[in-house]
């Protein structure tokens, strides 16, 4: 049951697709109060209450015990105490002895989620706008609440199948040759690969939809050559449009009046990579149409995937920000500043970027009305994603395109995936990535993944290998790193063969993982879930913070500590451990429900499969297109006949019907189990 409550005059967000009547009865579960414009919700927490949700945010799977802020921020140096990341996903699940409900705030402005931070026993949620629609969802289980929420907000984005292949990326591939060399090195060494991202280096002076003719002379031919080798180019597009006369996107945007404006009616400008930029007012339909059509020449050149960046929007600085910083510096220089201002001199400069003052200084058009950007800030990336996706649909409505964005808001989950932003080559960020995934899924973002190996700082070989072992299971499996850091492609490292075999396991599992993903997406389910979702009666399972359920029958438990020789795993029921070293080298171990310490050398990683549920492995290939998804090795710990469904499609169909793509298959106990481990069947099947 979904109930809607309205407060004031809510701004449209495009998050909700279901129209519901507004409740007149008082809001249950929360104490409601006002302070100025703010709307404040308060709820006493039971000591055993858990809170899931908030999608992209720091800390654990259970969000309880910290304060988070919905305020999309470019924050490459995030850590445990960071309150806001690149996205705002305002959905929470309360789960405890006295609570089982979901709460969604459809509010594009700043929201503070004090989930037991100020007082351990109290949740206080504050909306700054104060005008919003609030939805309460009550169902019998966490899974059903999540499903209802997806019905409310719409089906998750479906990427093309090739987007489940391994993707190599780096900020700094400065020419066609360097990209070709990276591709060739993967092919030469048998490291499977489906795509290479082009970062801002491919553009001419970082201008969107342009490319450097000196270094990337013929994108058409380049893209064709790559396609012949079963590789796709995935260019980046930034939010800001370079404010330079003679540059077509600027001229057409200017002529159309498509950019965000200041109070005096002039275009708002801020510096980003290309220098002074204007920012499309993505809230307007005609602006989205114009921007979406700008992708057309690249689509015509054969590009089938993009990543949208800097769309919080990130602002390096504005003229007024620079003036203000210089004014402070002058005061300090002339001796007129007091002690505190002198001490803050560094801040005066570093706070020039993503400055709240700047976000307050421009306006967006919402339903024909000028609204201060601050009030709709968190929609910017989502609306850019919408513009792109709508453009792709106009270009080819039959086909799925790859699209993942840095910034997002609920609603964008219908149009694209997300990557988890700029992380560091830190062990703690490996764990952070894992913990974010189920909450992203809860908020509808099924196609996601982190920068494997870490974006900032220098990775170590073992950290990259452990990142890849998580990446084997994340829908987006992309190795990405920042300019100036240690080169991070697999082939750069002495242990590249170990890493290659890890990626090969991904390809052997790809048809199975794709099937699990599509089944989840097409039934409004979750690909990754906290253990609490399936084992809500088991308090041990509900508390697990370092393992995730995957699809209908699997569980992952990656090693996330340096130099560890293994790890503890809690099995909420009997499960088969498949410990992988490569597609042909793995061992199968039936394990009983309970705690286990399991050794994992650096090259080993587990997948756990529920008893009487089959796992399908195919022969790995160098790219997803070459995979044979008819012949499999079936692995199953079984003590009865089992049957299951495999989802398959052409990988592009933009509107597949689940039931039309399922192949039912059975494994019979009577036909004896040919595996070498008693009770574990292992045999070839053809579907
Ligand atoms: O200010 O395009 O998150 O993935 O490599 C940095 C360069 C801009 C941030 C993205 C990152 C990308 C980088 N971008």
């Amino acid at each position: 049951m979904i109930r809607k409550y309205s407060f004031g005059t809510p701004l449209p967000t495009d998050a909700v697709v279901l129209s519901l009547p507004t409740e007149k009865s008082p809001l249950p579960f929360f104490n409601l109060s006002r302070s100025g414009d703010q709307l404040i919700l308060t709820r006493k927490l039971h000591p055993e209450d858990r809170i899931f949700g908030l999608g992209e945010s720091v800390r654990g799977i259970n969000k309880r015990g910290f304060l988070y802020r919905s305020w999309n921020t470019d924050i490459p140096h995030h850590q445990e105490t960071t309150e806001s990341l690149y996205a705002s996903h305002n959905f929470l699940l309360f789960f405890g002895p006295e609570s089982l409900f979901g709460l969604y705030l459809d509010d594009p402005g700043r929201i503070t989620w004090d989930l037991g931070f100020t007082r351990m026993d109290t949740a206080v949620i504050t909306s700054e706008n104060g005008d919003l629609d609030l939805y309460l969802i009550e169902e019998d289980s966490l899974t059903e609440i999540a499903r209802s929420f997806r019905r409310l907000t719409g089906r998750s984005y479906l990427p093309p199948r090739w987007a489940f292949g391994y993707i190599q990326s780096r900020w700094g591939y400065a020419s066609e040759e360097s990209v070709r060399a990276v591709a060739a090195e993967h092919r030469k060494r048998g490291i499977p690969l489906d795509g290479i991202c082009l970062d801002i280096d491919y553009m001419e002076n970082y201008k969107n939809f342009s490319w450097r003719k000196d270094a990337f002379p013929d994108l058409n031919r380049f893209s064709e050559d790559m396609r012949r080798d079963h590789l796709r180019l995935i260019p980046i597009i930034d939010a800001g449009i370079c404010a330079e006369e003679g540059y077509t996107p600027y001229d057409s945007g200017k002529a159309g009046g498509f950019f965000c404006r200041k109070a005096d009616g002039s275009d708002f400008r801020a510096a980003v990579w290309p220098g002074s930029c204007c920012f499309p007012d993505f809230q307007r339909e005609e602006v989205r149409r114009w921007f979406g059509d700008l992708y057309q020449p690249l689509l015509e050149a054969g590009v089938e995937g993009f990543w949208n960046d800097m769309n919080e929007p990130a602002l390096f600085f504005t003229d007024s920000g620079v003036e203000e910083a210089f004014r402070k510096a002058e005061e300090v220089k002339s001796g007129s500043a007091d002690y505190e201002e002198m001490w803050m001199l560094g801040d005066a400069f570093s706070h020039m970027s993503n400055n709240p003052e700047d976000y307050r200084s421009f306006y967006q058009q919402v339903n024909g009305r000028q609204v201060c950007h601050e009030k709709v800030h968190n929609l910017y990336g989502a609306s850019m994603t919408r513009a792109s996706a709508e453009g792709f649909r106009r270009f080819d409505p039959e086909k799925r395109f790859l699209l993942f964005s840095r910034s997002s808001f609920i609603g964008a989950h219908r149009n694209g995936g997300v990557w988890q932003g700029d992380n560091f080559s830190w062990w703690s960020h490996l764990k952070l990535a894992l913990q974010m995934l189920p909450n992203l899924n809860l908020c509808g973002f099924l196609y996601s993944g982190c920068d494997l190996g870490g974006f900032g700082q220098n990775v170590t070989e073992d950290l990259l290998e452990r990142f890849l072992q998580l990446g084997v299971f994340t829908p987006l499996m992309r190795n990405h790193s920042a300019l100036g850091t240690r080169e991070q492609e697999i082939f750069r490292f002495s242990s590249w063969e170990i890493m290659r075999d890890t990626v090969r396991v991904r390809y052997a599992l790809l048809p199975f993982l794709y099937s699990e993903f599509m089944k989840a997406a097409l039934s409004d389910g979750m690909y990754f879930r906290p253990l609490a979702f399936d084992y809500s009666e088991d308090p041990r399972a509900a508390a697990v913070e370092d393992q995730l359920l995957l699809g209908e029958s699997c569980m992952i438990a990656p090693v996330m500590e340096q130099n560890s020789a293994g790890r503890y795993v809690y099995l909420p029921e009997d499960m088969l451990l498949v410990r992988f070293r490569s597609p042909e080298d793995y061992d199968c171990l039936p394990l009983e429900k309970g705690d286990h310490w399991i050794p994992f050398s650096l090259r080993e990683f587990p997948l756990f499969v529920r008893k009487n549920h089959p796992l399908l492995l195919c022969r790995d290939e160098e790219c997803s297109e070459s995979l044979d998804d008819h012949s499999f090795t079936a692995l199953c710990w079984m003590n009865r006949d089992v049957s299951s469904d495999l989802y398959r499609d052409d990988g592009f169909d933009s509107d597949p019907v689940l039931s039309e793509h399922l192949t039912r298959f059975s494994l019979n106990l009577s036909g004896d189990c040919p595996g070498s481990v008693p009770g574990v069947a292992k045999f070839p099947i053809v579907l």
Side-chain angles (χ1 to χ4, degrees):
M1 183 186 46
I2 311 176
R3 279 179 289 174
K4 173 183 177 181
Y5 299 82
S6 268
F7 302 94
T9 319
L11 291 159
T13 65
D14 186 47
V16 166
V17 295
L18 210 62
S19 90
L20 295 171
T22 306
E23 296 287 331
K24 299 284 172 266
S25 54
L27 180 76
F29 305 137
F30 294 92
N31 208 322
L32 198 72
S33 59
R34 286 255 178 207
S35 161
D37 285 346
Q38 292 179 344
L39 182 90
I40 304 164
L41 303 169
T42 309
R43 179 174 171 82
K44 263 255 162 323
L45 297 173
H46 185 279
E48 285 162 41
D49 275 349
R50 294 174 199 287
I51 307 176
F52 299 115
L54 291 188
E56 190 174 296
S57 51
V58 299
R59 299 210 174 206
I61 298 176
N62 177 359
K63 307 317 291 182
R64 188 166 173 176
F66 194 57
L67 183 146
Y68 307 86
R69 254 179 248 279
S70 290
W71 185 258
N72 296 352
T73 308
D74 174 11
I75 183 146
H77 43 271
H78 57 268
Q79 34 184 322
E80 204 174 300
T81 44
T82 299
E83 294 168 346
S84 311
L85 296 181
Y86 301 85
S88 295
H89 302 138
N90 301 334
F91 182 52
L92 286 184
L93 265 179
F94 289 80
F95 168 56
E98 291 148 22
S99 14
L100 180 61
F101 65 92
L103 167 75
Y104 173 59
L105 299 195
D106 198 14
D107 174 357
R110 205 187 283 265
I111 302 173
T112 307
W113 311 83
D114 179 343
L115 305 179
F117 172 77
T118 305
R119 283 185 58 103
M120 273 184 85
D121 64 353
T122 311
V124 184
I125 301 165
T126 308
S127 154
E128 295 294 329
N129 283 350
D131 292 316
L132 66 143
D133 287 331
L134 180 159
Y135 294 85
L136 282 180
I137 307 180
E138 282 182 275
E139 305 292 352
D140 293 341
S141 67
L142 291 169
T143 304
E144 282 311 313
I145 296 173
R147 205 179 295 282
S148 276
F149 182 58
R150 201 79 56 74
R151 257 181 246 125
L152 178 70
T153 55
R155 190 178 85 182
S156 284
Y157 159 76
L158 304 174
R161 181 176 180 267
W162 65 264
F164 289 78
Y166 181 58
I167 297 172
Q168 179 58 51
S169 181
R170 180 170 172 87
W171 178 8
Y173 292 150
S175 66
E176 186 181 313
E177 282 74 62
S178 63
V179 176
R180 283 182 191 270
V182 166
E185 208 60 43
H186 282 80
R187 287 288 181 257
K188 191 178 97 195
R189 298 179 193 230
I191 305 165
L193 188 69
D194 264 76
I196 299 190
C197 286
L198 299 181
D199 208 318
I200 51 174
D201 324 273
Y202 82 93
M203 298 180 197
E204 192 183 295
N205 298 326
Y206 306 131
K207 286 188 286 195
N208 279 332
F209 310 108
S210 75
W211 59 90
R212 285 173 51 193
K213 300 287 172 333
D214 58 335
F216 296 84
D218 186 345
L219 213 64
N220 250 296
R221 193 185 34 94
F222 183 26
S223 150
E224 262 170 43
D225 287 354
M226 298 295 277
R227 282 293 293 116
R228 220 167 293 126
D229 199 7
H230 304 283
L231 292 169
R232 271 137 173 134
L233 294 174
I234 307 158
I236 194 171
I237 299 292
D238 283 1
I241 294 286
C242 178
E244 180 188 280
E245 275 167 36
Y247 164 53
T248 317
Y250 174 71
D251 291 342
S252 57
K254 176 94 189 149
F258 293 158
F259 299 124
C260 297
R261 298 192 191 158
K262 295 198 287 193
D264 66 7
S266 65
D267 288 343
F268 167 76
R269 289 195 184 196
V272 209
W273 288 109
S276 184
C277 282
C278 288
F279 296 83
D281 185 356
F282 290 118
Q283 289 314 105
R284 295 162 54 194
E285 208 267 317
E286 67 273 30
V287 177
R288 285 198 301 275
R289 175 168 276 271
W290 158 76
F291 192 84
D293 285 346
L294 295 175
Y295 287 81
Q296 192 116 348
L298 287 164
L299 294 167
E300 271 157 10
V303 174
E304 295 170 55
F306 292 89
W307 46 313
N308 283 348
D309 190 19
M310 305 298 274
N311 48 6
E312 293 69 29
L315 309 176
F316 291 170
F317 55 82
T318 56
D319 287 350
S320 58
V322 175
E323 271 161 34
E324 180 60 19
F326 270 93
R327 196 188 52 73
K328 285 216 177 105
E330 284 299 337
E331 274 180 25
V332 173
K333 197 170 151 195
S334 67
S336 65
D338 63 23
Y339 171 76
E340 197 169 300
E341 270 171 297
M342 281 162 58
W343 185 75
M344 306 274 248
L345 187 57
D347 288 353
F349 284 87
S350 64
H351 289 180
M352 277 190 325
S353 58
N354 310 322
N355 184 343
E357 286 295 321
D358 291 330
Y359 293 117
R360 266 195 284 277
S361 75
F362 66 97
Y363 293 80
Q364 295 198 248
Q365 230 185 73
V366 180
N367 294 340
R369 213 156 50 89
Q370 292 293 107
V371 172
C372 181
H373 168 79
E374 184 179 45
K375 286 190 170 285
V376 289
H377 174 72
N378 295 332
L379 289 178
Y380 199 82
S383 303
M384 179 189 182
T385 298
R386 187 176 168 193
S388 319
E390 289 169 346
F392 303 164
R393 278 197 280 273
R394 279 194 301 278
F395 181 76
D396 188 347
E398 308 284 300
K399 193 166 143 173
R400 308 200 298 254
F401 289 85
L402 172 59
L403 175 62
F404 53 99
S405 172
R406 193 170 70 179
S407 186
S408 63
F409 190 81
I410 286 169
H413 71 285
R414 300 193 300 273
N415 292 316
V418 291
W419 88 96
Q420 295 169 272
D422 294 344
N423 55 357
F424 275 144
S425 297
W426 288 349
W427 291 88
S428 62
H429 275 189
L430 173 54
K431 186 163 180 196
L432 174 62
L434 174 104
Q435 292 178 316
M436 232 188 264
L437 284 163
N439 287 321
L440 281 168
N441 272 251
L442 184 54
C443 295
F445 294 90
L446 268 52
Y447 188 79
S448 54
C450 68
D451 288 353
L452 299 173
F455 176 73
Q457 310 288 348
N458 297 324
V459 76
T460 58
E461 294 193 39
D462 53 347
L463 178 58
L464 177 56
E465 168 60 13
R466 293 303 191 194
F467 257 111
L468 290 168
Q469 293 174 356
L470 168 66
V472 164
F473 303 106
T474 60
L476 168 64
M477 185 189 193
R478 182 177 75 139
N479 177 343
H480 181 51
S481 54
L483 188 70
T485 59
R486 181 179 189 178
E487 291 178 309
Q488 202 168 283
E489 297 81 6
I490 287 174
F491 61 80
R492 310 274 182 198
F493 298 95
S494 61
S495 50
W496 68 272
E497 284 160 301
I498 293 180
M499 300 185 203
R500 175 201 60 197
D501 286 346
T502 301
V503 180
R504 289 180 55 226
V505 172
R506 160 65 163 231
Y507 279 70
L509 286 169
L510 198 146
F512 176 81
L513 296 176
Y514 178 67
S515 167
E516 292 302 298
F517 179 95
M518 293 299 282
K519 283 193 261 181
L522 293 172
S523 63
D524 291 336
M526 291 160 70
Y527 174 84
F528 283 129
R529 296 180 305 289
L531 270 59
F533 276 57
D534 293 32
Y535 307 94
S536 56
E537 301 298 311
D538 175 352
R540 270 301 306 282
V544 168
E545 283 278 343
D546 57 358
Q547 308 170 196
L548 301 178
L549 299 174
L550 182 163
E552 287 170 358
S553 55
C554 296
M555 185 177 80
I556 63 166
V559 173
M560 297 181 288
E561 247 175 67
Q562 188 162 32
N563 299 327
S564 56
R567 59 162 288 175
Y568 279 99
V569 179
Y570 175 70
L571 299 189
E573 60 172 290
D574 292 356
M575 286 182 169
L576 175 68
L577 160 66
V578 185
R579 185 169 37 198
F580 285 107
R581 287 172 288 275
S582 79
E584 50 283 322
D585 183 13
Y586 53 86
D587 29 48
C588 293
L589 220 68
L591 293 173
E592 277 172 15
K593 172 184 157 96
D595 291 288
H596 298 268
W597 192 87
I598 306 170
F600 296 108
S601 69
L602 181 59
R603 66 179 317 157
E604 292 177 319
F605 60 99
L607 179 62
F608 297 89
V609 191
R610 292 164 63 195
K611 196 170 183 176
N612 294 315
H613 288 265
L615 178 70
L616 298 181
L617 290 170
C618 70
R619 225 187 70 173
D620 64 291
E621 298 288 347
E622 65 175 21
C623 64
S624 63
E625 278 166 349
S626 305
L627 292 169
D628 169 5
D629 62 358
H630 294 281
S631 312
F632 295 97
T633 299
L635 291 178
C636 191
W637 178 17
M638 55 200 277
N639 57 5
R640 57 170 167 81
D641 292 349
V642 304
S643 47
S644 183
D645 296 297
L646 182 71
Y647 176 97
R648 280 176 300 194
D649 63 12
D650 65 3
F652 291 104
D653 182 353
S654 59
D655 197 17
V657 177
L658 181 59
S659 59
E660 287 172 11
H661 294 285
L662 295 176
T663 305
R664 189 111 190 121
F665 66 95
S666 312
L667 308 179
N668 296 324
L669 197 60
S670 54
D672 85 334
C673 296
S676 56
V677 182
V680 180
K682 174 181 175 181
F683 53 85
I685 58 168
V686 178
L687 298 177

